[in-house]
């Protein structure tokens, strides 16, 4: 006989559910599943069982399986009834198998009817859950069974949507529900002994209810202990620890982690194998912004006539520009130096760190000496490196990255920039303004792919206005050298195009540093994005090892690394008392092209993709007095709100100093302030910050009470008559 189709099963389940609900209401079954009714019927139930034990036992088993499979309320009372009728031993046996079998039936029906459809529709959202269930599904389910955070019927249905097998589900349910069943059945045996109000005070009954109250806490502690014991079993634990915390990496995440530990008087060691300050100080944020400043001045000199300044000229001395970049780095470097952190109480070691056990880190110095550190907790803040795409011939012709370009002394005449993200756009525009012939290649149809199309269009036009030959929708195929000429071959549709260059800059993103310091040996897993897998508390597979910053994701921003570092350091040092989940609810970022692009929260495209209905309010900066006076009257402020309300869901600003203007919206979103609050705040005139107030004013105008205003108009007309 062929298996029934989903449609037939859907109909059968629906009819069964309707029939069950009608029977439940018609026969008032709910009143039978109460503690008072159980006590009132105890003698009759016991008598019936003694008269016909096999029939009553079979009937009870069938009722319990049916109630569990159909997710009926009253399972707790039924379990107490088993103790009252059958006693502890037999009651426990019957309920244990009946509850597990009923749960399995509910699981199988939900899996057959729902799993494929739910997995197909929410594949992206469910991916991490599926990975977790495949890896640790048994422990997850065991925890839910032992610690009833969710009702059991909900666990049955939701677990059916995951990859866990039916066999494992049944086995874990049988085992996991046994302790709780034991407590309830035992309580039922004590309820059966109540003859008078004085019996309520019996020690046995009170003990049963105390167990009911503390069981979830005990179960949670036991599950955690078993998991930790299994996880740490192969690693010898030191008898004592030399340090409270070891931090690997002295970028933003590592520096903040070490700083917090030192402030609270913990013994902390910071290990850095390269340069203090990490990528941001030495290769990223700081040098790129110094370069952008010089490039912007060069551009302004060319535009001086528009401001009434004639005969203004300036010759770009690229070597001097790069020397200034290095001077800026040297000026800021003391903030992140060994000397400063040593003075704060941090032990700083220069060398390569390798985690040899969950409590030990081996540090190898440049001269080959090794030092083994023991520590209660570890924070990994190893950062990221530029990603180099596997383009044939790239290594042979040579290339630069955002790490290596700062050693250049001569401005390349012809520069190819691979990548249309924030780094690629910032550097392409800067080098073009400094005098290089720049060709920028982006495989996607638009630059700044994470932003809305109109934002991308404004940035693309600005790049082209500065002389960048922008090629979107072009894929880099290979590099070749013909004679003394280097060429990049790109493909657009079926056509190939050869671009000659003197230097090629790879700016297609950054890869987390996850190799070479012990993750593989410890079995610490990575995410599909090749970042270290962490939970909401930034813990890795080992609860005493944390990861922050670019190596952990989900954002590759310096300010996010510093933000995460607070949570990691506090959880590492005080987690046994209180742990904190990292908060990513309001994360701002900015791209420092000209015009700048800054965003927090949702974009229009993201809202549409996620099915979130939003109201869009837009204010054009070309109407702003200060922007007109400065000659920067281009761009806009776009605010996404809940329809009909002033609650802010996302903001995008394009224009001069957009990164600075965004801060007001970040504050508002963080603390639940709406556009009405921004509108009611006095903004200095004339400043660019007034754009935020005017954007709020646009929203207010769109929500003006027109009917009330019409009546007010009539009132004023009456007063004039």
């Amino acid at each position: 006989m062929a298996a029934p189709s989903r449609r037939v099963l859907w109909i059968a389940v629906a009819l069964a559910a309707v029939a069950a609900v009608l029977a439940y209401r018609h026969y008032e079954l709910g009143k039978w599943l109460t503690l008072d009714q159980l006590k009132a019927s105890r003698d009759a139930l016991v008598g019936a069982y003694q008269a016909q034990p096999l029939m009553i036992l079979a009937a009870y088993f069938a009722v319990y399986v049916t109630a569990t499979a159909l997710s009926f309320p009253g399972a707790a009372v039924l379990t107490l009834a088993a103790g009252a009728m059958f006693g502890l031993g037999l009651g426990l046996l019957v309920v244990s198998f009946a509850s597990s079998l009923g749960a399995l039936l509910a699981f199988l029906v939900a899996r057959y009817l729902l799993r494929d459809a739910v997995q197909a529709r929410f594949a992206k959202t469910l991916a991490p859950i599926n990975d977790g269930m495949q890896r640790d599904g048994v422990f997850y389910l065991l925890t839910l069974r032992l610690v009833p955070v969710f009702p059991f019927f909900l666990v049955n249905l939701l677990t059916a949507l995951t990859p866990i097998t039916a066999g494992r589900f049944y086995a874990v349910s049988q085992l996991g529900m046994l302790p709780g069943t034991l407590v309830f059945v035992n309580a039922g045996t004590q309820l059966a002994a109540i003859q008078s109000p004085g019996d309520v005070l019996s020690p046995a009954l009170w003990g049963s209810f105390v167990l009911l109250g503390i069981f979830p806490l005990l179960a949670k502690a036991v599950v955690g202990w078993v998991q930790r014991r299994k996880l740490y079993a192969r690693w010898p634990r030191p008898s004592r620890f030399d340090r409270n915390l070891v931090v690997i990496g002295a970028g933003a995440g590592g520096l903040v982690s070490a700083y917090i530990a030192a402030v609270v008087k913990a013994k902390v060691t910071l290990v850095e194998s390269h340069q203090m300050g990490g990528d941001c100080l030495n290769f990223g944020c700081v040098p790129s912004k110094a370069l952008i400043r010089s490039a912007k001045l060069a551009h302004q000199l060319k535009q001086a006539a528009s401001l009434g300044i004639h005969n203004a000229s300036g010759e770009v001395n690229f070597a001097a520009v790069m020397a200034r970049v290095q001077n800026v780095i040297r000026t800021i470097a003391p903030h992140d130096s060994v000397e400063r952190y040593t003075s704060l109480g941090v032990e700083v070691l220069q060398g390569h760190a390798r985690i040899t056990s969950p409590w030990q880190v081996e540090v190898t110095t440049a001269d080959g000496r090794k030092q083994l550190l023991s520590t209660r907790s570890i924070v990994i803040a190893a950062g990221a490196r530029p990603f180099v795409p596997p383009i044939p011939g790239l290594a042979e012709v040579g290339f630069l990255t955002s790490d290596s370009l700062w050693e250049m002394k001569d401005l390349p005449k012809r520069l190819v920039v691979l990548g249309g993200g924030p780094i690629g756009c910032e550097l392409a525009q800067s080098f073009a303004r400094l005098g290089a012939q720049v060709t920028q290649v982006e495989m996607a149809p638009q630059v700044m792919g994470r932003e809305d199309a109109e934002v991308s269009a404004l940035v693309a036009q600005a790049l082209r206005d500065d002389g960048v030959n922008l090629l979107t929708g072009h894929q880099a195929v290979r590099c070749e050298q013909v004679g003394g000429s280097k060429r990049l071959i790109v493909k657009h549709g079926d056509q190939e195009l050869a671009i000659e260059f003197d230097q090629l800059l790879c700016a297609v993103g950054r890869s987390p540093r996850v190799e070479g310091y012990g993750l593989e040996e410890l079995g610490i897993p990575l995410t599909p994005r090749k970042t270290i897998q962490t939970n909401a508390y930034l813990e890795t597979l080992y609860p005493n090892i944390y990861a922050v910053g670019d190596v952990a994701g989900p954002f590759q921003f310096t300010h996010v690394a510093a933000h995460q570092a607070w949570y990691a350091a506090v959880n590492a040092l005080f987690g046994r008392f209180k742990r904190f989940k990292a908060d990513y609810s309001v994360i701002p970022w900015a791209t420092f092209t000209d015009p700048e692009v800054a965003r927090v929260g949702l974009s229009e495209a993201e809202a549409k993709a996620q099915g979130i209905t939003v109201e869009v309010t837009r204010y054009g900066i070309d109407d702003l007095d200060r922007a007109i006076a400065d000659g920067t009257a281009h761009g806009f402020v776009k605010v996404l709100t809940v329809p009909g309300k002033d609650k802010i869901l996302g903001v995008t600003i394009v224009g001069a100093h957009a990164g600075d203007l965004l801060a007001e919206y970040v504050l508002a979103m963080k603390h639940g302030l709406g556009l009405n609050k921004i509108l009611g705040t006095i903004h200095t005139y004339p400043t660019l910050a007034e754009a935020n107030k005017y954007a709020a004013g646009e929203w207010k105008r769109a929500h003006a009470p027109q009917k009330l205003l019409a009546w007010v108009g009539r009132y004023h007309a009456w007063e004039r008559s």
Side-chain angles (χ1 to χ4, degrees):
M1 180 178 172
S5 68
R6 281 189 174 85
R7 182 184 295 274
V8 173
L9 189 55
W10 265 113
I11 294 173
V13 170
L15 291 175
V18 171
V21 170
L22 291 176
Y24 187 87
R25 297 189 63 180
H26 179 73
Y27 295 107
E28 297 183 341
L29 298 180
K31 73 178 183 180
W32 296 97
L33 297 176
T34 64
L35 188 58
D36 290 339
Q37 184 62 39
L38 173 61
K39 288 189 289 186
S41 307
R42 174 180 54 80
D43 292 340
L45 292 172
V46 172
Y49 171 66
Q50 290 174 347
Q52 295 179 299
L54 291 179
M55 189 181 79
I56 295 298
L57 197 62
Y60 176 87
F61 188 88
V63 168
Y64 203 110
V65 169
T66 303
T68 307
L70 296 177
S71 304
F72 266 21
V77 175
L78 284 173
T79 307
L80 292 170
M85 288 191 293
F86 312 132
L88 180 60
L90 183 58
L92 176 62
L93 183 66
V94 172
V95 173
S96 176
F97 282 96
S99 61
S100 298
L101 181 58
L104 179 62
L105 291 174
F107 171 91
L108 292 174
V109 171
R111 168 158 291 185
Y112 185 75
L113 293 179
L114 299 172
R115 185 175 69 167
D116 291 346
V118 171
Q119 288 285 348
R121 182 169 182 180
F122 303 103
K124 184 176 180 181
T125 303
L126 292 174
I129 297 175
N130 291 336
D131 291 341
M133 288 298 292
Q134 286 176 335
R135 186 180 64 254
D136 296 314
V138 170
F139 269 115
Y140 290 163
L141 181 57
L142 185 61
T143 302
L144 291 173
R145 290 306 194 198
L146 289 174
V147 187
V149 179
F150 298 105
F152 280 169
F153 80 89
L154 197 57
V155 175
N156 300 337
L157 301 180
L158 294 180
T159 309
L161 307 179
T162 71
I164 193 170
T165 63
R168 286 189 174 184
F169 173 84
Y170 178 82
V172 174
S173 297
Q174 185 80 56
L175 176 64
M177 291 193 289
L178 190 61
T181 302
L182 174 62
V183 172
F184 272 87
V185 172
N186 184 52
T189 65
Q190 301 305 315
L191 284 172
I194 295 178
Q195 299 294 338
S196 67
D199 292 335
V200 176
L201 301 177
S202 67
L205 183 61
W206 274 111
S208 294
F209 281 111
V210 168
L211 281 175
L212 285 175
I214 67 172
F215 174 73
L217 300 177
L218 292 175
K220 183 177 181 181
V222 169
V223 170
W225 179 81
V226 171
Q227 283 184 305
R228 288 192 297 273
R229 185 174 178 83
K230 178 184 176 183
L231 183 64
Y232 289 100
R234 64 190 180 104
W235 305 108
R237 181 185 174 97
S239 58
R240 65 181 303 277
F241 298 99
D242 301 326
R243 293 158 180 81
N244 300 100
L245 185 66
V246 169
V247 180
I248 300 174
L255 291 171
V256 173
S257 297
Y259 177 86
I260 291 171
V263 166
V264 297
K265 306 305 179 184
K267 187 170 183 181
V268 55
T269 297
L270 175 64
V271 185
E272 173 55 53
S273 62
H274 195 198
Q275 292 175 287
M276 294 289 289
D279 298 330
C280 185
L281 171 63
N282 299 290
F283 313 113
C285 313
V286 170
S288 65
K289 302 313 164 281
L291 182 74
I292 287 171
R293 178 66 185 94
S294 295
K296 186 172 185 178
L297 179 57
H299 174 74
Q300 289 172 333
L301 287 173
K302 294 177 183 177
Q303 304 296 319
S306 66
L307 299 176
I309 310 298
H310 296 282
N311 301 321
S313 62
E315 180 181 344
V316 174
N317 182 331
F318 187 74
V321 169
M322 298 303 278
R324 177 183 177 274
V325 169
Q326 295 301 321
N327 186 56
V328 169
I329 295 173
R330 285 192 296 271
T331 302
I332 296 176
H335 302 168
D336 302 338
S337 64
V338 172
E339 293 76 16
R340 178 176 182 236
Y341 275 79
T342 300
S343 70
L344 292 171
V346 178
E347 178 189 31
V348 181
L349 299 180
Q350 298 279 164
H352 176 75
R354 186 175 190 85
I355 305 171
T356 58
S357 87
W359 300 286
Q360 293 178 313
V361 177
E362 182 183 78
V363 179
T364 305
T365 59
D367 59 6
R369 289 182 300 169
K370 296 182 184 294
Q371 182 178 356
L372 189 63
L373 315 177
S374 65
T375 178
R376 277 196 170 274
S377 299
I378 299 168
V379 171
I380 302 171
R385 63 171 63 88
F387 173 72
V388 179
I391 300 173
L394 181 61
E396 287 74 17
V397 299
F399 60 91
L400 299 169
T401 68
S402 55
D403 281 8
S404 60
L405 72 88
W406 308 109
E407 303 301 322
M408 282 198 306
K409 296 295 187 292
D410 299 317
L411 180 70
K413 182 178 179 182
R414 298 168 300 180
L415 174 67
V416 167
V417 177
L418 285 181
I423 297 174
C425 289
E426 288 180 359
L427 294 176
Q429 186 178 52
S430 294
F431 276 97
R433 287 180 164 187
L434 291 171
Q437 297 175 16
V438 178
T439 299
Q440 187 177 5
V441 179
E442 168 55 45
M443 185 168 59
Q446 69 175 54
V447 295
M448 303 285 288
R450 295 184 62 183
E451 307 298 341
D452 288 332
E454 60 180 329
V455 175
S456 170
L458 274 174
V459 174
Q461 188 57 52
L463 291 169
R464 292 188 173 106
D465 289 345
D466 282 321
V468 176
N469 178 25
L470 179 58
L471 302 177
T472 55
H474 286 67
Q475 181 180 2
V477 176
R478 64 185 181 276
C479 292
E480 57 188 30
Q481 189 158 353
V482 180
S485 177
K486 300 177 182 179
R487 302 195 303 176
L488 171 69
I489 310 302
V490 298
K491 190 174 183 179
H492 180 63
D494 296 328
Q495 301 295 318
E496 286 192 349
L497 173 67
I499 306 169
E500 293 190 351
F501 63 87
D502 300 306
Q503 291 281 12
L504 185 148
L505 172 61
C506 287
V508 293
R510 299 179 68 80
S511 301
R513 291 189 178 97
V514 293
E515 306 92 5
Y517 51 88
L519 299 184
E520 304 90 340
E521 289 80 358
L522 269 69
I524 294 177
L526 305 180
T527 69
R529 298 176 62 187
K530 303 303 180 185
T531 56
I532 297 175
Q533 189 174 86
T534 62
N535 63 13
Y537 304 99
L538 298 171
E539 297 169 345
T540 66
L541 175 66
Y542 297 89
N544 70 312
I545 301 179
Y546 300 78
V548 302
D550 291 358
V551 78
F555 302 96
Q556 289 189 337
F557 303 133
T558 298
H559 48 282
V560 173
H563 177 71
Q564 289 176 320
W566 183 91
Y567 292 95
V570 171
N571 288 339
L573 297 170
F574 303 108
R576 66 178 62 187
F577 306 110
K578 171 69 175 175
R579 295 188 303 165
F580 298 88
K581 292 182 179 180
D583 179 12
Y584 303 116
S585 59
V586 184
I587 300 294
W589 64 84
T591 301
F592 296 92
T593 50
D594 186 3
E596 289 181 14
V597 177
R599 179 151 73 89
V600 61
L602 290 172
S603 68
E604 270 194 274
E606 288 175 345
K608 183 176 181 181
Q610 297 174 30
I612 299 174
T613 303
V614 297
E615 181 178 343
V616 179
T617 300
R618 181 187 174 102
Y619 171 74
I621 293 177
D622 58 330
D623 190 53
L624 185 65
D625 292 1
R626 180 56 185 268
I628 295 171
D630 287 349
T632 58
H634 49 263
F636 58 84
V637 177
K638 181 166 61 173
V639 184
L640 276 58
T641 53
V642 174
K645 299 182 179 180
D646 72 336
K647 181 180 179 180
I648 304 168
L649 299 177
V651 179
T652 299
I653 304 178
V654 181
H657 298 285
D660 299 315
L661 297 179
L662 188 70
E664 186 170 13
Y665 289 109
V666 177
L667 178 72
M669 291 179 67
K670 177 67 176 176
H671 297 286
L673 305 177
L675 290 178
N676 280 315
K677 296 294 185 182
I678 292 177
L679 182 61
T681 301
I682 298 175
H683 292 68
T684 307
Y685 179 87
T687 60
L688 296 177
E690 285 186 295
N692 295 339
K693 180 175 182 176
Y694 292 145
E698 291 294 323
W699 178 88
K700 191 69 173 180
R701 224 178 340 265
H703 293 82
Q706 297 300 332
K707 290 184 179 180
L708 177 61
L709 291 176
W711 282 102
V712 171
R714 292 174 186 173
Y715 165 74
H716 289 309
W718 173 78
E719 278 209 321
R720 294 193 304 270
S721 61

